[in-house]
Amino acid sequence: MIRDIRDIKAPLEIISPWQVAMIALIVLFVIATVILIIMTLRRKPAEGVVRLRSAHEIAYEQLETLLGKRLPASGKLKEYFSELADIVRHYLENRFDLRAPEMTTEEFLLFARDVSSLAVAHRELLRDFLTTCDLVKFAKYAPPDTEIDAAFQIAKKFVDETKIVIPQQK
């Protein structure tokens, strides 16, 4: 009644160094393939080269679009000054990384006092410009045509004077 006797175990198979090297190469190949796939998926599509536009290029385009709408001629001064102020505020955000669109004029002007990248003359220009825009938007101020044109020119002048100019390489 000897039941605890068992059969002899089969001998263990020894893996040769060539087999270990082959397994390691397969694992490395799989890892490299996964990394390559991830990098390819993260890359932007190569269909067309996407050129990032500078803050001043965007602002100029928006100013021209606004001019083409001819809002003052149709009596839509509030919309005109709202869009004009938004263009300048988004330019400030894109160019100087200021969160101008989310701030009221007073908040922005208080914040702008401490921004060293804005010259004093530009801060004063912005103060006058944004105050005029607010008067039209909120106080129902109806400026004369000369002041409407001046507001547009101030916005364009501000972009002109604060844009980043990159010297072209020869």
Side-chain angles (χ1 to χ4, degrees):
M1 298 231 238
I2 305 177
R3 292 186 180 176
D4 57 334
I5 298 177
R6 296 185 194 135
D7 200 12
I8 300 175
K9 292 183 180 180
L12 293 176
E13 194 174 311
I14 299 177
I15 300 175
S16 72
W18 292 107
Q19 289 174 325
V20 171
M22 191 59 76
I23 292 171
L25 282 174
I26 291 172
V27 168
L28 286 173
F29 178 76
V30 169
I31 290 172
T33 304
V34 168
I35 290 173
L36 185 63
I37 290 171
I38 290 172
M39 289 176 62
T40 303
L41 291 176
R42 285 189 178 176
R43 190 179 312 165
K44 292 186 179 181
E47 297 161 354
V49 176
V50 177
R51 182 175 146 317
L52 294 177
R53 297 183 310 155
S54 65
H56 68 271
E57 289 173 328
I58 295 168
Y60 286 145
E61 181 181 308
Q62 292 173 337
L63 286 169
E64 287 304 313
T65 301
L66 178 61
L67 204 56
K69 290 181 181 180
R70 305 180 67 83
L71 292 174
S74 58
K76 297 180 180 178
L77 293 177
K78 182 177 179 180
E79 291 87 351
Y80 177 78
F81 277 88
S82 292
E83 283 191 45
L84 190 59
D86 284 345
I87 291 168
V88 172
R89 287 174 176 269
H90 282 96
Y91 171 74
L92 286 163
E93 183 175 40
N94 294 335
R95 167 66 175 86
F96 297 101
D97 200 29
L98 302 175
R99 299 290 172 228
E102 291 89 23
M103 295 182 196
T104 65
T105 299
E106 293 79 22
E107 289 172 336
F108 173 72
L109 293 174
L110 284 172
F111 180 75
R113 287 189 307 185
D114 301 327
V115 176
S116 60
S117 55
L118 275 175
V120 174
H122 292 136
R123 282 185 235 144
E124 291 172 1
L125 189 71
L126 280 173
R127 183 192 66 228
D128 295 341
F129 170 77
L130 292 173
T131 302
T132 301
C133 290
D134 283 352
L135 284 173
V136 175
K137 292 184 328 187
F138 304 117
K140 298 182 181 179
Y141 172 62
D145 289 342
T146 55
E147 200 169 335
I148 295 170
D149 293 338
F152 184 86
Q153 293 307 318
I154 288 171
K156 190 170 183 311
K157 177 183 177 182
F158 178 76
V159 174
D160 287 340
E161 291 180 0
T162 59
K163 68 182 177 183
I164 296 176
V165 178
I166 300 171
Q168 296 207 355
Q169 298 176 353
K170 293 183 179 184

